[in-house]
Amino acid sequence: MVDALQFSNSQFTCPVTCYPARHAQRTVIVLPALGVTARKYAMLAQVLVGAGYNVLTTDWPGQGESLPRPGWRFNYGYRQLVEEFLPKLLLVAQRHFPDTQPVLLGHSLGGHIATLYAAANPASRVPVVGVACGNIHYRHWTGLGRLLTPSVALLCNLLASTLGHLPGKRIGFGGHEPRRLMRDWGRVAFSGNYRHLGLSLAPASHSRVNSLYIQIADDNFAPLASTRGLAELIQAEPRIEQLASPRPPHENPHSAWLKAPQGVVASIKGWLGQLPA
């Protein structure tokens, strides 16, 4: 089942794929990582359906099957994703699966957007699950990692500002990304906060949002300190579960879990089972 979402004054058309489950009480909305297309989440969606959840997957605007590609004319940042894209996606979920509770499941960048949405809507009843995601402030890394993160941020911003977009596939990081998104992402590497986005974010002590964060062992893109730094935006005492990567060591744990998502889904199901439907 396929729908479509119009974004940024209908500049972008974003296909949405719906996976129904029998007698589901919850609908899991999957928010992708930077440069990872929605089709990469098909196995995760199937495992979630097998666990009894409806699922929605979609590409970020201009990524994967969503068109047009970002450039000088087509641009957006974190704030638009939080204030426009995600609310519209929640409406699509409500239209296809009424009378079910939505759950945001964000991977990497998706975890950033889900967390910021929760911080901007502290009374929301939409639970948040973040997998392999974190605040990218350089202080959340040790050793050379403290230099690598801001260096990558500087390079990405330089390329995006020069070309009008980030040519992620050429440099091996991300996809065809909009320059404003990369600017928003990169500033966090230096400041550790999201004040530059202009969003009204409630302190964690005011949040009523239920959240779970899953950190994958040996994930150098989102180490434990980074995951905690993001989770603390909406949870004074974050609930973080650490899982071993289900794939061989030579595969990057940050995304390799998508090839064998059963452990992540089991953690999510166990946690959601403790929440009121």
mmCIF file with all atom_site columns, all heavy atoms in Angstrom, residues 19-35:
data_model
loop_
_atom_site.group_PDB
_atom_site.id
_atom_site.type_symbol
_atom_site.label_atom_id
_atom_site.label_alt_id
_atom_site.label_comp_id
_atom_site.label_asym_id
_atom_site.label_entity_id
_atom_site.label_seq_id
_atom_site.pdbx_PDB_ins_code
_atom_site.Cartn_x
_atom_site.Cartn_y
_atom_site.Cartn_z
_atom_site.occupancy
_atom_site.B_iso_or_equiv
_atom_site.pdbx_formal_charge
_atom_site.auth_seq_id
_atom_site.auth_comp_id
_atom_site.auth_asym_id
_atom_site.auth_atom_id
_atom_site.pdbx_PDB_model_num
ATOM 1   N N   . TYR A 1 19 ? 2.641  -0.838  5.734  1.00 0.00 ? 19 TYR A N   1
ATOM 2   C CA  . TYR A 1 19 ? 2.663  -2.281  5.961  1.00 0.00 ? 19 TYR A CA  1
ATOM 3   C C   . TYR A 1 19 ? 1.655  -2.604  7.059  1.00 0.00 ? 19 TYR A C   1
ATOM 4   O O   . TYR A 1 19 ? 1.918  -2.349  8.241  1.00 0.00 ? 19 TYR A O   1
ATOM 5   C CB  . TYR A 1 19 ? 4.048  -2.743  6.420  1.00 0.00 ? 19 TYR A CB  1
ATOM 6   C CG  . TYR A 1 19 ? 5.189  -2.505  5.463  1.00 0.00 ? 19 TYR A CG  1
ATOM 7   C CD1 . TYR A 1 19 ? 5.801  -1.258  5.373  1.00 0.00 ? 19 TYR A CD1 1
ATOM 8   C CD2 . TYR A 1 19 ? 5.693  -3.540  4.667  1.00 0.00 ? 19 TYR A CD2 1
ATOM 9   C CE1 . TYR A 1 19 ? 6.874  -1.041  4.520  1.00 0.00 ? 19 TYR A CE1 1
ATOM 10  C CE2 . TYR A 1 19 ? 6.765  -3.333  3.812  1.00 0.00 ? 19 TYR A CE2 1
ATOM 11  C CZ  . TYR A 1 19 ? 7.346  -2.088  3.746  1.00 0.00 ? 19 TYR A CZ  1
ATOM 12  O OH  . TYR A 1 19 ? 8.416  -1.872  2.898  1.00 0.00 ? 19 TYR A OH  1
ATOM 13  N N   . PRO A 1 20 ? 0.485  -3.151  6.701  1.00 0.00 ? 20 PRO A N   1
ATOM 14  C CA  . PRO A 1 20 ? -0.521 -3.439  7.736  1.00 0.00 ? 20 PRO A CA  1
ATOM 15  C C   . PRO A 1 20 ? -0.259 -4.772  8.446  1.00 0.00 ? 20 PRO A C   1
ATOM 16  O O   . PRO A 1 20 ? 0.269  -5.722  7.858  1.00 0.00 ? 20 PRO A O   1
ATOM 17  C CB  . PRO A 1 20 ? -1.821 -3.504  6.935  1.00 0.00 ? 20 PRO A CB  1
ATOM 18  C CG  . PRO A 1 20 ? -1.396 -3.945  5.570  1.00 0.00 ? 20 PRO A CG  1
ATOM 19  C CD  . PRO A 1 20 ? -0.012 -3.372  5.345  1.00 0.00 ? 20 PRO A CD  1
ATOM 20  N N   . ALA A 1 21 ? -0.623 -4.805  9.722  1.00 0.00 ? 21 ALA A N   1
ATOM 21  C CA  . ALA A 1 21 ? -0.577 -6.038  10.510 1.00 0.00 ? 21 ALA A CA  1
ATOM 22  C C   . ALA A 1 21 ? -1.979 -6.310  11.051 1.00 0.00 ? 21 ALA A C   1
ATOM 23  O O   . ALA A 1 21 ? -2.741 -5.372  11.325 1.00 0.00 ? 21 ALA A O   1
ATOM 24  C CB  . ALA A 1 21 ? 0.412  -5.901  11.669 1.00 0.00 ? 21 ALA A CB  1
ATOM 25  N N   . ARG A 1 22 ? -2.321 -7.545  11.219 1.00 0.00 ? 22 ARG A N   1
ATOM 26  C CA  . ARG A 1 22 ? -3.663 -7.901  11.691 1.00 0.00 ? 22 ARG A CA  1
ATOM 27  C C   . ARG A 1 22 ? -3.817 -7.529  13.164 1.00 0.00 ? 22 ARG A C   1
ATOM 28  O O   . ARG A 1 22 ? -2.959 -7.834  13.988 1.00 0.00 ? 22 ARG A O   1
ATOM 29  C CB  . ARG A 1 22 ? -3.921 -9.397  11.512 1.00 0.00 ? 22 ARG A CB  1
ATOM 30  C CG  . ARG A 1 22 ? -3.955 -9.852  10.051 1.00 0.00 ? 22 ARG A CG  1
ATOM 31  C CD  . ARG A 1 22 ? -4.362 -11.304 9.947  1.00 0.00 ? 22 ARG A CD  1
ATOM 32  N NE  . ARG A 1 22 ? -5.706 -11.536 10.452 1.00 0.00 ? 22 ARG A NE  1
ATOM 33  C CZ  . ARG A 1 22 ? -6.281 -12.729 10.571 1.00 0.00 ? 22 ARG A CZ  1
ATOM 34  N NH1 . ARG A 1 22 ? -5.598 -13.820 10.232 1.00 0.00 ? 22 ARG A NH1 1
ATOM 35  N NH2 . ARG A 1 22 ? -7.499 -12.841 11.021 1.00 0.00 ? 22 ARG A NH2 1
ATOM 36  N N   . HIS A 1 23 ? -4.921 -6.825  13.464 1.00 0.00 ? 23 HIS A N   1
ATOM 37  C CA  . HIS A 1 23 ? -5.294 -6.494  14.842 1.00 0.00 ? 23 HIS A CA  1
ATOM 38  C C   . HIS A 1 23 ? -4.232 -5.648  15.548 1.00 0.00 ? 23 HIS A C   1
ATOM 39  O O   . HIS A 1 23 ? -4.094 -5.711  16.773 1.00 0.00 ? 23 HIS A O   1
ATOM 40  C CB  . HIS A 1 23 ? -5.573 -7.763  15.657 1.00 0.00 ? 23 HIS A CB  1
ATOM 41  C CG  . HIS A 1 23 ? -6.495 -8.733  14.992 1.00 0.00 ? 23 HIS A CG  1
ATOM 42  N ND1 . HIS A 1 23 ? -7.776 -8.390  14.623 1.00 0.00 ? 23 HIS A ND1 1
ATOM 43  C CD2 . HIS A 1 23 ? -6.309 -10.034 14.608 1.00 0.00 ? 23 HIS A CD2 1
ATOM 44  C CE1 . HIS A 1 23 ? -8.360 -9.439  14.048 1.00 0.00 ? 23 HIS A CE1 1
ATOM 45  N NE2 . HIS A 1 23 ? -7.498 -10.434 14.019 1.00 0.00 ? 23 HIS A NE2 1
ATOM 46  N N   . ALA A 1 24 ? -3.496 -4.854  14.792 1.00 0.00 ? 24 ALA A N   1
ATOM 47  C CA  . ALA A 1 24 ? -2.448 -4.029  15.398 1.00 0.00 ? 24 ALA A CA  1
ATOM 48  C C   . ALA A 1 24 ? -3.072 -2.895  16.217 1.00 0.00 ? 24 ALA A C   1
ATOM 49  O O   . ALA A 1 24 ? -4.070 -2.288  15.811 1.00 0.00 ? 24 ALA A O   1
ATOM 50  C CB  . ALA A 1 24 ? -1.544 -3.453  14.321 1.00 0.00 ? 24 ALA A CB  1
ATOM 51  N N   . GLN A 1 25 ? -2.454 -2.605  17.349 1.00 0.00 ? 25 GLN A N   1
ATOM 52  C CA  . GLN A 1 25 ? -2.866 -1.477  18.183 1.00 0.00 ? 25 GLN A CA  1
ATOM 53  C C   . GLN A 1 25 ? -1.923 -0.289  18.048 1.00 0.00 ? 25 GLN A C   1
ATOM 54  O O   . GLN A 1 25 ? -2.256 0.811   18.466 1.00 0.00 ? 25 GLN A O   1
ATOM 55  C CB  . GLN A 1 25 ? -2.932 -1.900  19.649 1.00 0.00 ? 25 GLN A CB  1
ATOM 56  C CG  . GLN A 1 25 ? -4.018 -2.929  19.952 1.00 0.00 ? 25 GLN A CG  1
ATOM 57  C CD  . GLN A 1 25 ? -4.073 -3.263  21.432 1.00 0.00 ? 25 GLN A CD  1
ATOM 58  O OE1 . GLN A 1 25 ? -3.049 -3.496  22.076 1.00 0.00 ? 25 GLN A OE1 1
ATOM 59  N NE2 . GLN A 1 25 ? -5.272 -3.271  21.975 1.00 0.00 ? 25 GLN A NE2 1
ATOM 60  N N   . ARG A 1 26 ? -0.755 -0.517  17.462 1.00 0.00 ? 26 ARG A N   1
ATOM 61  C CA  . ARG A 1 26 ? 0.225  0.552   17.296 1.00 0.00 ? 26 ARG A CA  1
ATOM 62  C C   . ARG A 1 26 ? 0.732  0.569   15.857 1.00 0.00 ? 26 ARG A C   1
ATOM 63  O O   . ARG A 1 26 ? 0.827  -0.472  15.202 1.00 0.00 ? 26 ARG A O   1
ATOM 64  C CB  . ARG A 1 26 ? 1.394  0.382   18.260 1.00 0.00 ? 26 ARG A CB  1
ATOM 65  C CG  . ARG A 1 26 ? 1.029  0.633   19.731 1.00 0.00 ? 26 ARG A CG  1
ATOM 66  C CD  . ARG A 1 26 ? 2.278  0.627   20.593 1.00 0.00 ? 26 ARG A CD  1
ATOM 67  N NE  . ARG A 1 26 ? 2.008  1.090   21.949 1.00 0.00 ? 26 ARG A NE  1
ATOM 68  C CZ  . ARG A 1 26 ? 1.741  0.302   22.977 1.00 0.00 ? 26 ARG A CZ  1
ATOM 69  N NH1 . ARG A 1 26 ? 1.713  -1.014  22.804 1.00 0.00 ? 26 ARG A NH1 1
ATOM 70  N NH2 . ARG A 1 26 ? 1.517  0.804   24.180 1.00 0.00 ? 26 ARG A NH2 1
ATOM 71  N N   . THR A 1 27 ? 1.107  1.774   15.408 1.00 0.00 ? 27 THR A N   1
ATOM 72  C CA  . THR A 1 27 ? 1.677  1.968   14.077 1.00 0.00 ? 27 THR A CA  1
ATOM 73  C C   . THR A 1 27 ? 3.061  2.580   14.221 1.00 0.00 ? 27 THR A C   1
ATOM 74  O O   . THR A 1 27 ? 3.201  3.687   14.755 1.00 0.00 ? 27 THR A O   1
ATOM 75  C CB  . THR A 1 27 ? 0.786  2.886   13.225 1.00 0.00 ? 27 THR A CB  1
ATOM 76  O OG1 . THR A 1 27 ? -0.501 2.270   13.042 1.00 0.00 ? 27 THR A OG1 1
ATOM 77  C CG2 . THR A 1 27 ? 1.422  3.158   11.866 1.00 0.00 ? 27 THR A CG2 1
ATOM 78  N N   . VAL A 1 28 ? 4.071  1.868   13.779 1.00 0.00 ? 28 VAL A N   1
ATOM 79  C CA  . VAL A 1 28 ? 5.456  2.325   13.902 1.00 0.00 ? 28 VAL A CA  1
ATOM 80  C C   . VAL A 1 28 ? 5.836  3.113   12.645 1.00 0.00 ? 28 VAL A C   1
ATOM 81  O O   . VAL A 1 28 ? 5.752  2.600   11.525 1.00 0.00 ? 28 VAL A O   1
ATOM 82  C CB  . VAL A 1 28 ? 6.418  1.147   14.099 1.00 0.00 ? 28 VAL A CB  1
ATOM 83  C CG1 . VAL A 1 28 ? 7.864  1.639   14.161 1.00 0.00 ? 28 VAL A CG1 1
ATOM 84  C CG2 . VAL A 1 28 ? 6.068  0.371   15.372 1.00 0.00 ? 28 VAL A CG2 1
ATOM 85  N N   . ILE A 1 29 ? 6.248  4.362   12.845 1.00 0.00 ? 29 ILE A N   1
ATOM 86  C CA  . ILE A 1 29 ? 6.663  5.239   11.757 1.00 0.00 ? 29 ILE A CA  1
ATOM 87  C C   . ILE A 1 29 ? 8.186  5.273   11.743 1.00 0.00 ? 29 ILE A C   1
ATOM 88  O O   . ILE A 1 29 ? 8.819  5.754   12.685 1.00 0.00 ? 29 ILE A O   1
ATOM 89  C CB  . ILE A 1 29 ? 6.090  6.649   11.948 1.00 0.00 ? 29 ILE A CB  1
ATOM 90  C CG1 . ILE A 1 29 ? 4.554  6.596   11.953 1.00 0.00 ? 29 ILE A CG1 1
ATOM 91  C CG2 . ILE A 1 29 ? 6.590  7.592   10.856 1.00 0.00 ? 29 ILE A CG2 1
ATOM 92  C CD1 . ILE A 1 29 ? 3.892  7.906   12.342 1.00 0.00 ? 29 ILE A CD1 1
ATOM 93  N N   . VAL A 1 30 ? 8.781  4.746   10.686 1.00 0.00 ? 30 VAL A N   1
ATOM 94  C CA  . VAL A 1 30 ? 10.237 4.618   10.595 1.00 0.00 ? 30 VAL A CA  1
ATOM 95  C C   . VAL A 1 30 ? 10.822 5.860   9.927  1.00 0.00 ? 30 VAL A C   1
ATOM 96  O O   . VAL A 1 30 ? 10.452 6.215   8.808  1.00 0.00 ? 30 VAL A O   1
ATOM 97  C CB  . VAL A 1 30 ? 10.633 3.353   9.805  1.00 0.00 ? 30 VAL A CB  1
ATOM 98  C CG1 . VAL A 1 30 ? 12.155 3.259   9.673  1.00 0.00 ? 30 VAL A CG1 1
ATOM 99  C CG2 . VAL A 1 30 ? 10.076 2.103   10.484 1.00 0.00 ? 30 VAL A CG2 1
ATOM 100 N N   . LEU A 1 31 ? 11.750 6.508   10.638 1.00 0.00 ? 31 LEU A N   1
ATOM 101 C CA  . LEU A 1 31 ? 12.428 7.703   10.129 1.00 0.00 ? 31 LEU A CA  1
ATOM 102 C C   . LEU A 1 31 ? 13.871 7.333   9.812  1.00 0.00 ? 31 LEU A C   1
ATOM 103 O O   . LEU A 1 31 ? 14.618 6.930   10.700 1.00 0.00 ? 31 LEU A O   1
ATOM 104 C CB  . LEU A 1 31 ? 12.376 8.816   11.172 1.00 0.00 ? 31 LEU A CB  1
ATOM 105 C CG  . LEU A 1 31 ? 10.969 9.201   11.661 1.00 0.00 ? 31 LEU A CG  1
ATOM 106 C CD1 . LEU A 1 31 ? 11.057 10.241  12.773 1.00 0.00 ? 31 LEU A CD1 1
ATOM 107 C CD2 . LEU A 1 31 ? 10.119 9.712   10.503 1.00 0.00 ? 31 LEU A CD2 1
ATOM 108 N N   . PRO A 1 32 ? 14.307 7.478   8.557  1.00 0.00 ? 32 PRO A N   1
ATOM 109 C CA  . PRO A 1 32 ? 15.595 6.932   8.119  1.00 0.00 ? 32 PRO A CA  1
ATOM 110 C C   . PRO A 1 32 ? 16.811 7.700   8.618  1.00 0.00 ? 32 PRO A C   1
ATOM 111 O O   . PRO A 1 32 ? 16.727 8.841   9.076  1.00 0.00 ? 32 PRO A O   1
ATOM 112 C CB  . PRO A 1 32 ? 15.514 7.019   6.586  1.00 0.00 ? 32 PRO A CB  1
ATOM 113 C CG  . PRO A 1 32 ? 14.103 7.334   6.258  1.00 0.00 ? 32 PRO A CG  1
ATOM 114 C CD  . PRO A 1 32 ? 13.549 8.034   7.439  1.00 0.00 ? 32 PRO A CD  1
ATOM 115 N N   . ALA A 1 33 ? 17.946 7.063   8.456  1.00 0.00 ? 33 ALA A N   1
ATOM 116 C CA  . ALA A 1 33 ? 19.242 7.689   8.697  1.00 0.00 ? 33 ALA A CA  1
ATOM 117 C C   . ALA A 1 33 ? 19.627 8.552   7.499  1.00 0.00 ? 33 ALA A C   1
ATOM 118 O O   . ALA A 1 33 ? 19.036 8.457   6.406  1.00 0.00 ? 33 ALA A O   1
ATOM 119 C CB  . ALA A 1 33 ? 20.311 6.620   8.941  1.00 0.00 ? 33 ALA A CB  1
ATOM 120 N N   . LEU A 1 34 ? 20.621 9.397   7.676  1.00 0.00 ? 34 LEU A N   1
ATOM 121 C CA  . LEU A 1 34 ? 21.154 10.223  6.604  1.00 0.00 ? 34 LEU A CA  1
ATOM 122 C C   . LEU A 1 34 ? 21.701 9.326   5.490  1.00 0.00 ? 34 LEU A C   1
ATOM 123 O O   . LEU A 1 34 ? 22.526 8.449   5.736  1.00 0.00 ? 34 LEU A O   1
ATOM 124 C CB  . LEU A 1 34 ? 22.281 11.104  7.156  1.00 0.00 ? 34 LEU A CB  1
ATOM 125 C CG  . LEU A 1 34 ? 22.762 12.274  6.302  1.00 0.00 ? 34 LEU A CG  1
ATOM 126 C CD1 . LEU A 1 34 ? 21.712 13.380  6.304  1.00 0.00 ? 34 LEU A CD1 1
ATOM 127 C CD2 . LEU A 1 34 ? 24.073 12.811  6.863  1.00 0.00 ? 34 LEU A CD2 1
ATOM 128 N N   . GLY A 1 35 ? 21.184 9.517   4.277  1.00 0.00 ? 35 GLY A N   1
ATOM 129 C CA  . GLY A 1 35 ? 21.688 8.776   3.130  1.00 0.00 ? 35 GLY A CA  1
ATOM 130 C C   . GLY A 1 35 ? 21.188 7.357   3.003  1.00 0.00 ? 35 GLY A C   1
ATOM 131 O O   . GLY A 1 35 ? 21.628 6.623   2.106  1.00 0.00 ? 35 GLY A O   1
#
